[in-house]
Amino acid sequence: MASQHAQTAAQPSASFDADAVSTAYQSALEVIEAVEPGVATAIRSELSDQRASLKLIASENYASPAVLLAMGTWLSDKYAEGTVGHRFYSGCQNVDTVEQIAADHAQALFAAPHAYVQPHSGIDANLVAFWAILAHRVEAPALAELGANHVNDLTDDDWEALRRRLGNQRALGMALDAGGHLTHGFRPNISGKMFHQASYGTDAQTGLLDYAEVAARAREFRPLVLIAGYSAYPRKINFAIMREIADEVGATLMVDMAHFAGLVAGKVFTGDFDPVPFAHVTTTTTHKSLRGPRGGVVLCQPDYAEAVDRGCPLVLGGPLGHVIAAKAVALAEARQPSFQRYAQQVADNAVALADGLLSRGARLVTGGTDNHLVLLDVSTFGLTGRQAESALLDSGIVTNRNSIPRDPNGAWYTTGVRLGTPALTSRGFGAGDLDRVAELIVGVLAATSPAAAPSGGASKARYVLADGVADRTHAAVGELLAQHPLYPGLDLG
Ligand code: PLP
């Protein structure tokens, strides 16, 4: 008899027929094994490794079996450059179907005027957005000024002039050590070569975004693009204010919601905290809090749609039909009421984790969270981020080290550890479990001390973990994980 994975309030991921999914994967792995056993073995190991780890990486999640299965198909075999109904190849009717379904779901889910679902990742979505903004704001007006209707009409001199204009624009984004992303105009990323970049940081006392400072920087720098969004800022952003600032200086507001798209989709971030109505262009990944396949999406206002749709082949390689199909499935899941419960639980769990850490004496950047992540400042334990990350990993807790604002240890060793709740929430962890996780984290860090470097002096990488702590913590982690199995009932045979 088919065993149905029960859906509970705490574990709102799509329910699935565990027997059917087990059979599907057992058969698929046999087929792969016959050609390259090493790959089949790695796929099996990845499931056991994921099942056995307490994953607090803020940018990762667990997609549903329906999303995962949608990726393993012959839609991968089709070239489909262009857009729905306007392809450079024939025979694209089925890619058209899945792309239209995905775009319709994205538009409905985010109440967006336009959705482009082809980007292969978040970085690719940002590249498409930058290109579209430059084409819309710079290329088209410049062509008119040069008396040309199309780039094909340009002379060599015109090209030189256009290249200079396209590559000579300004972008203002959140500083990297305040939580911004490398693609927001920072060298050595290509966005730092496309744009002259300036950044805004966070308040030195509170760690919070200071909108008055953003406005002052924008007035002084006059960017073509004002970029909002982050990888490691633990608070929500008021996008109504960001749009006012953009309008005042004539900038295009681009929001990269890669990290918090799930909270927007799940209606945790609404009103002024939902970027989509305020941004001219919004980009996202689909695999973080949105819990879909690895990929990206661009949403935009109608006047940017034509330029955005030229993403492939001007910026992107051919669309990945199989991944777009999986995006369609994930976006359909995100439109279910259960996804709203999931998103709220992600945020509630982050608060429980933050409170659990604070109550045990830890220091958090901004003093807490109102999204899916917590940024722990490990200097109070006398450690670098690198030491803390490694000691936690030894104890079965998977995190990543991260800079904190004005980080004294730089971007490699860092002083912070970033912790996120989307993945554990997908496993069914609740607030009580996150408090226990906080207790385990503080226990490990309090038992860790820096070791001497081989050359003498304190090392930023070496550490000593008190005897028995790693084993005891591993056992406690194992108990928590056993209470919330990943893909319950899925058996690879
Ligand atoms: N934008 C932000 C804010 C991110 O945090 C990330 C990834 O961590 C990206 C973009 C890039 O996403 P991807 O790895 O899918 O290219």
Side-chain angles (χ1 to χ4, degrees):
M1 201 184 75
S3 61
Q4 193 78 12
H5 156 214
Q7 195 172 329
T8 67
Q11 192 173 26
S13 59
S15 64
F16 62 90
D17 180 333
D19 289 349
V21 173
S22 299
T23 305
Y25 276 110
Q26 283 166 15
S27 306
L29 285 166
E30 274 173 31
V31 173
I32 296 167
E33 213 146 40
V35 181
E36 179 42 276
V39 169
T41 303
I43 294 171
R44 287 176 194 281
S45 300
E46 184 60 25
L47 180 61
S48 15
D49 290 353
Q50 300 244 4
R51 280 179 159 161
S53 79
L54 190 79
K55 181 152 93 172
L56 284 157
I57 307 265
S59 50
E60 292 187 10
N61 211 328
Y62 302 109
S64 74
V67 168
L68 298 177
L69 286 166
M71 275 187 282
T73 77
W74 29 90
L75 285 168
S76 166
D77 296 334
K78 191 75 198 89
Y79 242 116
E81 285 179 356
T83 50
V84 175
H86 303 276
R87 304 286 186 186
F88 292 89
Y89 288 79
S90 57
C92 297
Q93 60 281 1
N94 298 308
V95 178
D96 277 357
T97 300
V98 294
E99 185 169 338
Q100 191 61 57
I101 294 173
D104 288 347
H105 280 315
Q107 271 183 263
L109 178 65
F110 293 110
H114 185 73
Y116 181 64
V117 297
Q118 290 187 16
H120 312 321
S121 73
I123 286 183
D124 289 7
N126 286 347
L127 270 179
V128 170
F130 288 136
W131 178 250
I133 292 166
L134 287 171
H136 180 65
R137 293 286 308 274
V138 181
E139 183 184 283
L143 283 178
E145 226 176 89
L146 293 166
N149 291 321
H150 193 270
V151 283
N152 293 348
D153 303 333
L154 298 181
T155 65
D156 283 353
D157 285 349
D158 290 343
W159 261 115
E160 190 49 40
L162 181 57
R163 254 197 301 269
R164 230 174 289 131
R165 283 194 210 193
L166 286 173
N168 201 23
Q169 304 301 324
R170 291 185 292 275
L172 177 64
M174 190 178 225
L176 273 182
D177 72 350
H181 192 257
L182 201 67
T183 56
H184 297 181
F186 292 93
R187 291 176 204 282
N189 183 264
I190 188 171
S191 58
K193 298 181 168 63
M194 293 166 85
F195 295 97
H196 296 287
Q197 202 267 0
S199 53
Y200 53 85
T202 47
D203 182 86
Q205 302 305 319
T206 63
L208 296 171
L209 192 55
D210 176 351
Y211 297 98
E213 196 228 323
V214 179
R217 296 290 287 135
R219 282 184 205 119
E220 172 195 8
F221 188 61
R222 313 295 300 184
L224 178 83
V225 195
L226 174 62
I227 306 167
Y230 52 78
S231 298
Y233 179 67
R235 297 291 179 175
K236 50 190 180 184
I237 291 177
N238 187 316
F239 297 106
I241 300 178
M242 295 303 272
R243 175 60 188 261
E244 271 173 34
I245 297 170
D247 284 349
E248 187 192 322
V249 300
T252 294
L253 177 61
M254 171 177 155
V255 176
D256 177 351
M257 63 170 182
H259 257 264
F260 54 90
L263 300 184
V264 178
K267 313 291 177 235
V268 176
F269 287 179
T270 56
D272 292 352
F273 304 102
D274 172 357
V276 181
F278 298 104
H280 297 93
V281 183
T282 304
T283 60
T284 185
T285 55
T286 46
H287 48 274
K288 302 185 204 275
S289 55
L290 199 50
R291 208 168 56 186
R294 307 200 73 76
V297 168
V298 180
L299 308 170
C300 65
Q301 299 301 330
D303 50 333
Y304 285 84
E306 198 189 323
V308 164
D309 279 352
R310 285 193 284 151
C312 167
L314 297 191
V315 178
L316 299 174
L320 309 177
H322 55 310
V323 179
I324 293 174
K327 286 178 193 173
V329 174
L331 290 161
E333 288 176 357
R335 292 184 67 191
Q336 299 299 315
S338 59
F339 193 84
Q340 295 189 11
R341 290 198 294 278
Y342 165 70
Q344 189 57 57
Q345 191 67 55
V346 166
D348 292 348
N349 280 350
V351 170
L353 177 63
D355 289 350
L357 292 165
L358 290 168
S359 68
R360 293 174 177 91
R363 194 185 101 74
L364 304 182
V365 173
T366 79
T369 178
D370 39 39
N371 55 21
H372 62 298
L373 69 88
V374 166
L375 191 53
L376 175 60
D377 174 350
V378 293
S379 62
T380 54
F381 296 96
L383 300 171
T384 63
R386 169 111 185 241
Q387 290 161 330
E389 174 196 74
S390 303
L392 289 168
L393 187 63
D394 291 348
S395 311
I397 302 175
V398 186
T399 64
N400 67 281
R401 66 186 186 277
N402 209 103
S403 299
I404 62 171
R406 292 161 276 272
D407 199 310
N409 289 317
W412 179 248
Y413 293 109
T414 83
T415 305
V417 170
R418 188 182 67 165
L419 309 167
T421 54
L424 291 186
T425 308
S426 289
R427 286 183 79 134
F429 278 60
D433 301 312
L434 269 297
D435 182 64
R436 175 78 174 128
V437 170
E439 185 182 7
L440 295 176
I441 289 173
V442 172
V444 170
L445 298 183
T448 306
S449 34
S455 54
S459 166
K460 290 187 173 190
R462 293 164 159 248
Y463 60 96
V464 182
L465 187 50
D467 278 352
V469 174
D471 287 347
R472 273 201 305 279
T473 310
H474 256 294
V477 163
E479 275 169 32
L480 273 174
L481 294 176
Q483 286 164 31
H484 304 291
L486 176 62
Y487 303 121
L490 170 56
D491 176 7
L492 298 186

